[in-house]
Amino acid sequence: MSVKSVTHLNFRGDARAALEFYQSVFGGHLAVVTYKDAGNVQDPAEADQVMWGQVVAGNGFHVMAYDVPSRLPWDRGENSFFLSLRGETTEEITAYWEKLSDGATIAAPLEPAQWAPLYGMLTDRFGVVWVVDVASEYNG
C-alpha cells in the first residue's frame, strides 16, 4: 500500500491558464472539468471556470488546480506555500527554470548553493512561489 501527495493550487479564475502554462513547461496530459461540465453551475459567469483540473507528465510532474467560486472566500495570501521542484541534473532543472521564469519575479537566481548544485526561487506569473533545485544528498 502506498500514498502519494499532489500539490493542489487554488485560483480565482486563472486555473485553466495556469494549468496550460505548466503543461507547456513540463509536458504531459492536461485534464480540465469545468463547473458546466460537472453540472454544478451556481453562477453563470463562472460556468467555464475549472472545477477540477490537473497536469500529469511522464517525468513525474503532477499538479492539480481549481477556481474557487466567488461565493467562497479566497485569498492568495503571502508565503502560504511553496511548490518545490527537484530534479537530478542541472540540465533538466535549468530547462524548467527558463520556462517557469517567463513573466516571473525572481527572488533568488538559479545558481549553486551551499546545499545544492543549483537552487533558485521565483514567483511565476500566476503568483505561485517555486523553489527549484538539483537534489543532492543531505548529510545532517
Side-chain angles (χ1 to χ4, degrees):
M1 189 170 188
S2 68
V3 65
K4 180 179 177 183
S5 176
V6 177
T7 301
H8 191 288
L9 305 173
N10 301 334
F11 296 94
R12 180 79 89 194
D14 289 328
R16 180 184 300 274
L19 289 168
E20 289 172 350
F21 174 66
Y22 300 140
Q23 181 189 31
S24 77
V25 171
F26 298 101
H29 177 72
L30 169 67
V32 171
V33 175
T34 66
Y35 287 97
K36 180 172 57 182
D37 294 337
N40 191 18
V41 176
Q42 308 226 359
D43 179 345
E46 297 173 348
D48 291 323
Q49 289 187 358
V50 177
M51 185 173 134
W52 175 86
Q54 71 176 1
V55 172
V56 179
N59 57 13
F61 180 79
H62 186 182
V63 70
M64 297 171 68
Y66 98 118
D67 288 310
V68 178
S70 61
R71 71 182 186 284
L72 298 176
W74 178 82
D75 185 327
R76 182 177 308 178
E78 189 172 333
N79 292 320
S80 56
F81 69 92
F82 295 152
L83 189 53
S84 175
L85 177 66
R86 307 191 89 195
E88 294 180 6
T89 69
T90 58
E91 294 80 13
E92 174 186 36
I93 287 303
T94 299
Y96 290 137
W97 175 269
E98 288 172 358
K99 293 176 183 177
L100 284 170
S101 295
D102 182 22
T105 302
I106 308 299
L110 186 66
E111 59 189 19
Q114 189 175 15
W115 62 91
L118 277 182
Y119 168 84
M121 183 176 182
L122 61 80
T123 302
D124 74 19
R125 62 187 183 204
F126 298 100
V128 175
V129 179
W130 293 77
V131 289
V132 178
D133 69 347
V134 174
S136 62
E137 281 192 35
Y138 176 74
N139 297 317

